[in-house]
Amino acid sequence: MTNTLEFKSSFINNSEKKTALDTEGRDLLARPRFSLRLHLLLVFILFSFLSMAIIIGSVIAISSIDKKMHFVQTSERYLFEIAQARRWEKNYFLYDTNLEDAVQSAGNAKTFLSQNLKKFITVLSAEETAGMIEHLEKYRSLLQDLQDLTVLKKNGIENTEKKNKIETSLRKHGAEMVKVAAALVYKEQNSMNAMLHLIQRIPIYCFAVVLLLTIFLARFLVKRLIRPLNLLIESTQRIAKGDFSPVPPICKYRGEFTAVEVAINQMCRELKSREVAMVESHKLRAIGTLTAGVAHELNNPLNNIMLTAHAMLEDHNNLSEDGLLEMINDLINEADKSRSIIRNLLDFSRESESVSEPLDLGALVGETIKLTLNQAKVSGVKIETQIQPDLPRIRGDKQQLKQVFLNLILNALDAVEKEGNIKINVKKADSPKFLAVQVEDNGCGIPSHILPNIFDPFFTTKGPGKGTGLGLSVSHGIITMHRGQISIETEEGKYTRFTVTLPFRTVPAVLNKT
Amino acid sequence: MKEKLDILLLDDEAIVGNRLKPALKKVGCDVELFEDPKKALNRIREKKFDIVITDIMMPSVNGIQILEEVRKKSDITKVIIITGYATVALAREAMDKGAFDMIAKPFTPDNLRSVIAKAADSLGYKKIIAKA
């Protein structure tokens, strides 16, 4: 009950404190609370109960042994009294003395028995007790008879026959009486011994149980502590690699780790938004690189338009109709050229949300190459393109993928010297259901010691102000998001080959052509 | 002295030549047009021109190479560089290597003619300056 109350109040607190919490965070916090503190408390309570049970058990066992000891003493006393009576009885028959004492002892036994009747009844059955009492009563009455005979004898009346008869009966009941009492003592002693034996063993059993329980609980607690920690470590490693999806709930219930999860999720969200900003800034940088090429590209048609317009202005009187038409057509064509250049640049720089659509990978790569052709022309680099025909379509974000291939081609352009060669290949990958795009240059290659870092954000080999160090990192992120892979083969001074593999759709391409 | 200036005009864009040739003829220039830089290079090796006008960014051969080739052939030939995207580094390189002037696209025929007039002036062709 207290749990639910606590859960409610802290939920309200949390939601007041962090109004900006996302849905995952709220889901995480909305689970019933079962914290580590509660775990420890439960374990502690369990152990307290256990030790209390052990203590109570021992007290009960010891007090029952105490009782048994008392009972054994009692029965021994009883046995002593009747044994005494029997000794006096024997003396009487042998030497004719001590009959009074025998009667006295039997009386003592009787008194003692009736005093402790309750104790006897708890140990013996009612019939046994009744039998005991009966034998004692009989014995006593026989002794009484014997006393009467003795009185008669003093008065001169001898009744040997009766005396003998009494003697036989007396012996029989006496023996029976002693036998029952001795058996009782023996039985009680045995039971007491058994109990003592048990009590000696109890600490060992308890120790074993406590040990097993401790091991089990320790393992349980460690699992509750270590498993979430390991999961968190895994998550952080995953995040370090650029996967910013939220952490899955690591425990079934809400606890101390929930706060960590919520914090990590918040961090992921921040990182994600920063990454978007980083990608944007990288895009701007790439646009800067492209601008040099684009400006040249754009100035050409502009120049043509200008020259043509001026020619028309100067010579419009002397121009033939054909000459005029030619110039007008030139104007239109050059204006068209400018438009398509600007459209290409805008396509790349347009702020766009990630949209997944069926794409013709070959065409997409072709468009990207077009963007870089001028840059290549300036650096005197030859770009060879091989696109396998009739490839199945892939699904993905056109702008993002264009950016990846643009990054790879611009990198290749940076890597090659003048008169270098870039080969671009679009084909089916070795693994089924994947397409591969290879961008290979015969440039400087990548030294093996920096190879592990090339996908790291902000890692760049270019001079200050030349590269953001984000190109490959961003490309890697984009390709991973498309469930593809990006790999690299390189030999220093010889070549570098980037291979991007992307899964294609299994639906026949014909159906997608709409 | 010759009456006309010998000019070689090299640009891989055909329209540039087509429009400039008549514009320059008007001011008394003999213009040879080239679109292929390699052919232009061959012609430069054959003949001393008064002025060579070349685009700087072309496939296979660039304007700087043309400039160097002109310098090998003749000291007095004036080289005017046309560029689509002017950078300081490029301008410096061209000037260091002895270019007469640079002109950035887009330009008007008059822009070019006034540069040519300056070049003609330094070559001693007063007549052309007067016309321009």
Side-chain angles (χ1 to χ4, degrees), chain A residues 131-143:
Chain A
M132 235 168 75
I133 293 169
E134 198 195 318
H135 283 301
L136 184 63
E137 283 302 324
K138 203 91 187 174
Y139 185 78
R140 273 190 65 211
S141 72
L142 285 169
L143 282 180

Side-chain angles (χ1 to χ4, degrees), chain A residues 299-300 304 314-315 330, chain B residues 13 19 26 84 105 108 113:
Chain A
N299 278 338
N300 274 331
N304 292 339
E314 283 177 18
D315 303 329
D330 280 348
Chain B
E13 298 262 342
R19 298 292 173 268
K26 278 190 211 165
K105 284 183 182 176
T108 64
R113 279 193 291 238

Side-chain angles (χ1 to χ4, degrees), chain A residues 55-80:
Chain A
I55 289 168
I56 290 171
S58 326
V59 167
I60 289 172
I62 286 171
S63 80
S64 92
I65 282 188
D66 190 46
K67 262 190 203 156
K68 278 213 189 297
M69 259 165 68
H70 273 111
F71 184 71
V72 167
Q73 275 170 2
T74 311
S75 18
E76 270 177 342
R77 174 91 188 278
Y78 171 67
L79 182 63
F80 171 79

Side-chain angles (χ1 to χ4, degrees), chain A residues 291-293 295-296 299-308 310-311 314-315 323 326-328 330 334 337 374 377-378 418-419, chain B residues 11-13 15-16 18-20 22-23 26 55-60 62 82-85 104-111 113:
Chain A
T291 307
H296 179 261
N299 278 338
N300 274 331
L302 207 52
N303 190 51
N304 292 339
I305 291 168
M306 203 166 221
L307 291 177
T308 308
H310 274 272
E314 283 177 18
D315 303 329
E326 189 200 325
M327 287 192 186
I328 292 171
D330 280 348
E334 296 302 307
K337 235 193 248 172
N374 205 69
K377 202 161 98 182
V378 172
K418 274 199 171 155
E419 314 291 309
Chain B
D11 195 307
D12 57 332
E13 298 262 342
I15 295 178
V16 175
N18 291 343
R19 298 292 173 268
L20 285 178
K26 278 190 211 165
D55 192 8
I56 198 154
M57 278 171 186
M58 290 169 293
S60 67
N62 72 29
I82 303 173
T83 158
Y85 182 67
K105 284 183 182 176
F107 57 90
T108 64
D110 278 340
N111 294 145
R113 279 193 291 238

Side-chain angles (χ1 to χ4, degrees), chain A residues 69-277:
Chain A
M69 259 165 68
H70 273 111
F71 184 71
V72 167
Q73 275 170 2
T74 311
S75 18
E76 270 177 342
R77 174 91 188 278
Y78 171 67
L79 182 63
F80 171 79
E81 290 294 344
I82 42 180
Q84 193 67 22
R86 292 229 59 199
R87 267 197 294 276
W88 298 135
E89 171 212 320
K90 209 165 153 192
N91 280 358
Y92 168 74
F93 283 117
L94 286 175
Y95 314 112
D96 215 6
T97 57
N98 300 96
L99 185 59
E100 302 288 315
D101 295 320
V103 173
Q104 178 76 40
S105 289
N108 285 349
K110 159 88 199 291
T111 325
F112 191 75
L113 184 61
S114 52
Q115 268 171 5
N116 295 289
L117 196 61
K118 269 188 191 164
K119 283 188 195 170
F120 283 100
I121 285 173
T122 53
V123 179
L124 298 170
S125 64
E127 289 125 61
E128 280 175 315
T129 321
M132 235 168 75
I133 293 169
E134 198 195 318
H135 283 301
L136 184 63
E137 283 302 324
K138 203 91 187 174
Y139 185 78
R140 273 190 65 211
S141 72
L142 285 169
L143 282 180
Q144 220 88 66
D145 290 348
L146 216 54
Q147 241 177 348
D148 293 344
L149 275 184
T150 322
V151 174
L152 284 178
K153 195 180 164 187
K154 274 184 184 164
N155 295 339
I157 304 161
E158 181 100 52
N159 194 340
T160 325
E161 194 190 336
K162 194 175 181 189
K163 190 183 168 188
N164 286 344
K165 209 174 157 192
I166 288 174
E167 191 184 340
T168 323
S169 195
L170 201 62
R171 278 180 203 282
K172 185 190 146 206
H173 284 291
E176 197 64 34
M177 211 168 53
V178 171
K179 196 178 125 195
V180 169
L184 181 65
V185 169
Y186 179 72
K187 187 182 150 196
E188 277 311 291
Q189 261 170 353
N190 269 354
S191 117
M192 197 174 75
N193 282 340
M195 199 166 250
L196 267 174
H197 196 65
L198 184 70
I199 281 191
Q200 277 172 343
R201 291 269 176 103
I202 275 178
I204 298 170
Y205 294 146
C206 284
F207 177 71
V209 168
V210 168
L211 189 72
L212 286 177
L213 197 64
T214 310
I215 290 172
F216 170 74
L217 287 175
R219 279 178 64 111
F220 173 70
L221 280 180
V222 163
K223 218 176 93 184
R224 294 283 304 196
L225 200 67
I226 300 297
R227 207 180 69 93
L229 278 178
N230 281 340
L231 280 174
L232 283 178
I233 289 169
E234 269 172 37
S235 292
T236 50
Q237 281 167 348
R238 174 176 61 83
I239 291 162
K241 281 179 188 154
D243 177 0
F244 299 135
S245 52
V247 181
I250 41 182
C251 304
K252 207 168 159 195
Y253 300 101
R254 199 158 61 93
E256 279 81 351
F257 285 108
T258 311
V260 182
E261 282 174 83
V262 171
I264 287 183
N265 283 345
Q266 204 157 5
M267 182 187 76
C268 282
R269 228 169 24 256
E270 294 281 319
L271 282 174
K272 211 174 191 170
S273 67
R274 298 263 160 90
E275 199 198 40
V276 171

